[in-house]
Amino acid sequence: MSERNILVLCTGNSCRSQMAEAFIRRLAGERFEVFSAGLEPAPEIHPLALRVMDEIGEIMEGQHPKSVKTYLGRMGFRYVVFVCADAENSCPRIFPGVLNFVNLTVDDPAKAEGTQEERLEVFRRVRDELHDKIERWVGTLDA
């Protein structure tokens, strides 16, 4: 049922969009079906994304990177949520019929450099920023 579908879109579908999918799934409850995809999906979810989500009890079980082609022309969406400026700029209107494009972009934690702890701090900051943006946005949604 497309009026209940939300797609979170990013470049690699390995960090931000995976975290956003988990947050929206929890915060939107049973009002929406949530999916995520990437323009150039990575082979797996970034281990530090899994780690920082696990730290706060967010489960990403069953999630894995997927190509936007998995959904293009096969599913309808009420909302397409961009968490990555590259994805938004590369495909701003690829889903016919979608009237609600949402920009919740955050920095790419996979590009973080430094020690393991410094990189973890970037992942935590991005996770928390993404959570706050999603929490505010989900609070405005109608079922």
Side-chain angles (χ1 to χ4, degrees):
M1 187 180 239
S2 65
E3 62 270 4
R4 289 180 28 107
N5 291 341
I6 296 173
L7 177 66
V8 182
L9 198 56
C10 197
T11 302
N13 194 220
S14 67
C15 299
R16 296 168 287 184
S17 53
Q18 293 290 341
M19 290 189 279
E21 178 182 349
F23 285 140
I24 295 170
R25 185 171 285 120
R26 180 177 55 80
L27 294 167
E30 297 188 15
R31 298 182 296 163
F32 295 94
E33 294 291 326
V34 186
F35 306 88
S36 69
L39 301 177
E40 300 169 12
E44 62 185 16
I45 296 176
H46 196 292
L48 294 181
L50 291 169
R51 181 171 170 181
V52 299
M53 292 297 278
D54 186 58
E55 288 175 356
I56 61 169
E58 286 290 343
I59 307 300
M60 294 198 301
E61 185 176 317
Q63 291 182 216
H64 61 280
K66 298 161 290 303
S67 171
V68 69
K69 294 175 185 175
T70 302
Y71 304 110
L72 187 60
R74 293 179 174 91
M75 287 184 79
F77 293 93
R78 183 171 180 180
Y79 298 96
V80 172
V81 177
F82 296 103
V83 293
C84 162
D86 290 340
E88 183 177 24
N89 293 333
S90 298
C91 58
R93 299 289 183 259
I94 62 171
F95 288 92
V98 175
L99 299 175
N100 302 290
F101 291 90
V102 180
N103 178 331
L104 301 177
T105 59
V106 292
D107 293 337
D108 185 357
K111 292 181 180 178
E113 297 180 356
T115 66
Q116 176 83 347
E117 190 55 39
E118 290 168 335
R119 293 175 62 222
L120 268 170
E121 285 306 312
V122 172
F123 271 82
R124 288 178 184 124
R125 178 185 54 77
V126 169
R127 174 202 64 202
D128 295 346
E129 182 180 343
L130 191 56
H131 178 270
D132 292 347
K133 286 183 175 192
I134 289 170
E135 189 171 49
R136 285 191 302 274
W137 175 66
V138 166
T140 69
L141 298 179
D142 296 326

